[in-house]
């Protein structure tokens, strides 16, 4: 039997995936026909998308066995009522490694106060005090999914005491795990570095508001490589102006690219990075796509299924 796959991601991605995806399918003994043009819906078994797909109407694809996302985030898909087939998000080793490296790098940057030396703001031989050890710096991770858990464990390995928060209870070695509304307030309380890796859902929009920021230690640092909608932008700017936050490193924004007139550009205590924390790599992502096709063809459970009712 031939698996009929529609690559419904942006066409510019196809040259990067064409070879790796064909090779990954072949390694699993899967005969596949891959279309990049809008096909006959009756002739589609699997739909590969990149969150915002090339169409919003999937109602005609009644025979599709699964929708396979190339992104970790699925917020542009979960609210689509025409998606009735199983939806799998992307969890792949290179994407996870990229996120872990981004988080660890910026946590260490702020922990060590590296900007003062790199930018020269402290002045030569300023007598700046040595930073505390990692064991003395309280870090909180909001979001303990695949990416959050991996990043939290990497920070633990560096010596940081890490508190993690998630909607549902989690158990992660070395991480103090909290959950629920009360757990959220406790997780933020006194945190010196706050990292956001929660998904964007209606429940998490503006999760980090003025009240949440006020719970952090004075002069705390915020790092957000998750979704821009998690933060109340005005509350963030106010916290920076008051000194409650000393810096924010932001990789994601409500509008991308970040508009040239956005106040974040004019705030020296904000570092803007261009949504590069965790890119999906075609070679490793193709292996995940092929594995899920193989599983579906064998009647086995898909990897990384999304709970459409929860949004992740």
């Amino acid at each position: 039997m031939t698996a009929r796959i529609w690559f419904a991601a942006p066409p510019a991605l196809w040259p990067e995936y064409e070879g790796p995806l064909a090779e990954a399918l072949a390694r699993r003994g899967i005969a596949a026909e891959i279309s990049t043009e809008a096909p006959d819906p009756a002739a589609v078994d699997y739909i590969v998308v990149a969150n915002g797909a090339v169409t919003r109407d999937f109602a005609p694809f009644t025979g599709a066995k699964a929708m396979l996302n190339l992104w970790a985030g699925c917020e542009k898909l979960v609210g689509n009522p025409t998606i009735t087939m199983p939806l799998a998000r992307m969890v792949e080793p290179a994407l996870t490694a990229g996120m872990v490296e981004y988080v660890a790098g910026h946590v260490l940057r702020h922990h060590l106060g590296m900007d003062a030396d790199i930018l020269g703001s402290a002045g030569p031989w300023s007598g700046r005090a040595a930073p505390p050890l990692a064991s003395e710096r309280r870090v909180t991770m909001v979001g303990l999914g695949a990416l959050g858990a991996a990043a939290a464990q990497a920070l633990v390995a560096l010596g940081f005491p890490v508190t993690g928060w998630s909607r549902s209870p989690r158990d992660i070695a070395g991480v103090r795990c909290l959950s629920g509304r009360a757990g959220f307030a406790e997780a933020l309380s006194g945190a010196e570095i706050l990292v956001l890796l929660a998904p964007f859902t209606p429940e998490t929009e503006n999760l980090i508001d003025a009240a949440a920021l006020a719970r952090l230690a004075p002069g705390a640092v915020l790092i957000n490589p998750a979704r821009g909608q998690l933060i109340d932008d005005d509350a963030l700017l106010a916290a920076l102006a008051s000194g409650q936050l000393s810096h924010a490193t932001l990789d994601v924004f409500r509008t991308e690219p970040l508009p040239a007139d956005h106040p974040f550009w004019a705030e020296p205590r904000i570092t803007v990075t261009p949504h590069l924390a965790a890119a999906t790599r075609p070679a490793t992502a193709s292996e995940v796509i092929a594995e899920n096709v193989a599983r579906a063809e064998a009647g086995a459970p898909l990897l990384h299924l999304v709970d459409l009712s929860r949004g992740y």
Side-chain angles (χ1 to χ4, degrees), residues 50-224:
N51 202 345
V54 296
T55 181
R56 294 289 296 167
D57 183 12
F58 295 97
F61 296 88
T62 55
K65 301 174 185 178
M67 178 176 288
L68 308 172
N69 195 18
L70 295 177
W71 289 11
C74 295
E75 65 271 11
K76 294 182 180 178
L77 299 172
V78 292
N80 187 336
T82 71
I83 297 176
T84 56
M85 68 288 292
L87 169 64
R89 61 193 175 90
M90 178 54 64
V91 177
E92 56 99 353
L95 187 155
T96 301
M99 181 61 80
V100 167
E101 291 173 12
Y102 181 95
V103 169
H106 284 285
V107 166
L108 284 170
R109 165 197 166 204
H110 292 299
H111 165 63
L112 296 172
M114 295 171 69
D115 285 8
D117 299 314
I118 294 170
L119 302 176
S121 57
W125 253 196
S126 64
R128 186 167 71 88
L133 296 175
S135 61
E136 302 170 295
R137 183 81 72 184
R138 292 167 292 176
V139 178
T140 288
M141 180 75 62
V142 169
L144 292 174
L147 297 178
Q153 289 186 302
L155 295 176
V156 168
L158 290 169
F160 292 98
V162 179
T163 295
W165 179 85
S166 55
R167 175 178 171 180
S168 303
R170 297 291 305 274
D171 185 8
I172 300 169
V175 180
R176 175 181 175 238
C177 296
L178 302 172
S179 61
R181 185 182 299 274
F184 180 66
E186 186 177 350
L188 295 183
S189 181
E192 296 170 275
I193 299 178
L194 175 62
V195 182
L196 305 183
L197 277 174
F200 169 49
T201 68
E203 291 74 27
T204 62
E205 185 166 13
N206 293 325
L207 182 67
I208 305 303
D209 57 11
L213 292 169
R215 293 185 180 275
L216 305 178
V221 168
L222 171 65
I223 301 170
N224 183 19

